[in-house]
Structure formats: structure tokens, C-alpha cells
Amino acid sequence: KVNIEGKKIGFVMTGSFCTFKKTIDELKKIVELKANVVPIMSENSYTMDTKFGRAKDFIDEIEGITENKILHTIQEVEPIGPKNMLDILVAPATGNTMAKLANDIIDGPATMAVKSHLRRERPVVIAISTNNGLSGAGENIGKLFNRKHYYFVPFRQDNPITKPRSIVFDPAYLIKTIEEALEGEQIQPMLL
């Protein structure tokens, strides 16, 4: 198992607003383990206020925790690969983000960060959070399972009764997944 102290970890926040609070809790733990976290946000996560909180409040909290400015434009994230800025990239990902990655649609800072990072053949950790993972998004998840350098945080059904197709990652496994991915290994089991 790799120690993440001193590792340069890109952390992408996409439109999975319902996971922000628990994801930020894990982000704090990563920083406490002395990793250097480069925060990245999609356009929507950087600008949209939702029932889960105000964008400005999340921005302030994330920048306060990481002590780094959030990268939130294509121009800011494009140099990630060419300038060898990261050891690993972590992306709590919506069905929309996974669909774009699976089909090589690079149209914003989140997907550009992943594309740029993959130029160096470094690991990308996907933390699934989608309401249709067991329906429409399933095909794209399958594509990413079969791609080199993608690793997945273990996940489960979110709420089988009221959201029967929804799946979500378990934040308790995020750091362990990062450690394993830095070794080129997929943490097991993936399905909880």
C-alpha cells in the first residue's frame, strides 16, 4: 500500500451535488495525510447553487481545506498532463461525466483534466454517483471498467426502494482506492 503523503492529487468536483458534503469530509482526510490536493471543478459545480448548498460556500471551503485555488476552466486544467502536475486524479463522477469520458467528449474543465492527466498514463479514480447507473449509464460505466488507468471506488445501490437504478460510491473507501490505484491495482470488492 502506497503512502499518499507528498502525492499530488487532483480532485475533480462535478455535478453530483448530493455527495459534496461527504466528499469534502474525505478531502479533509486526504489533506491531513499530507497530500498536496489540486482542486478542480466543472462549470456547473463552480457556478450553481443547489438545495445542497451555495457554490461560493463550497468553493471557499474547498480552497480553505486544500490551500490551493480551484482550477475551473479548460485553460487552467489543460497543462495538467504536459506539465506533469499530478500523480493521480480523483473524480466523483456523475452519469453525464462518465458518458463523456467513455465517449471521449472533452468539453469542460472536468473532462479536460482527465484527458490531460491520462496523457501521462497515470491513474484516474472514478467515484460513481448517478441515478441511472443500473440503466442508461451502465453501458458507459462498463466501457470505463475496460479502459486502462481507470480505477473505481467501491459502490452500491443508493436506495433500492425509491431509486432502484441509482448507484453511489462509498466515501469510506476513497483513500484506500487512491492507495491501490497508485500501485496499479483495483481495490476489491468493487460492489458492496
Side-chain angles (χ1 to χ4, degrees):
K1 183 167 80 168
V2 170
N3 185 332
I4 65 171
E5 182 176 346
K7 295 294 183 190
K8 298 174 289 183
I9 300 175
F11 206 97
V12 181
M13 302 292 280
T14 64
S16 183
F17 301 105
C18 63
T19 65
F20 275 24
K21 288 198 187 303
K22 55 186 167 185
T23 300
I24 289 171
D25 288 342
E26 294 305 307
L27 184 60
K28 288 177 190 171
K29 293 175 188 173
I30 291 168
V31 171
E32 287 168 7
L33 292 170
K34 297 186 168 73
N36 179 21
V37 176
V38 176
I40 301 160
M41 290 181 99
S42 68
E43 299 101 332
N44 287 342
S45 63
Y46 194 79
T47 59
M48 289 179 74
D49 296 336
T50 71
K51 66 182 180 181
F52 300 103
R54 291 179 349 124
K56 173 90 172 83
D57 294 338
F58 285 124
I59 291 165
D60 291 345
E61 185 176 10
I62 292 166
E63 288 182 342
I65 293 164
T66 63
E67 298 181 1
N68 285 316
K69 183 185 176 310
I70 292 171
L71 306 180
H72 62 95
T73 67
I74 289 175
Q75 296 89 332
E76 290 171 330
V77 300
E78 193 280 328
I80 285 173
K83 291 189 176 180
N84 198 23
M85 293 171 60
L86 304 173
D87 296 307
I88 192 166
L89 186 72
V90 179
T94 61
N96 185 55
T97 299
M98 289 183 289
K100 289 178 180 185
L101 293 173
N103 293 287
D104 205 30
I105 299 169
I106 310 303
D107 64 350
T111 52
M112 177 57 82
V114 174
K115 176 188 177 190
S116 183
H117 178 69
L118 285 171
R119 286 177 62 178
R120 294 260 217 231
E121 297 193 353
R122 298 269 172 80
V124 173
V125 170
I126 300 290
I128 296 174
S129 180
T130 178
N131 284 327
N132 63 346
L134 297 177
S135 60
E139 177 182 355
N140 295 317
I141 293 166
K143 284 181 182 179
L144 294 175
F145 276 164
N146 288 297
R147 297 244 176 103
K148 197 170 180 184
H149 307 299
Y150 281 96
Y151 302 88
F152 288 80
V153 178
F155 58 92
R156 60 176 165 69
Q157 277 189 279
D158 185 8
N159 184 333
I161 305 304
T162 61
K163 299 191 299 183
R165 288 166 292 287
S166 181
I167 55 177
V168 66
F169 73 99
D170 187 330
Y173 290 91
L174 186 60
I175 292 170
K176 291 177 188 170
T177 305
I178 293 168
E179 292 169 341
E180 294 287 332
L182 283 165
E183 288 286 310
E185 298 292 331
Q186 170 63 57
I187 191 170
Q188 295 293 336
M190 280 198 306
L191 299 174
L192 301 174

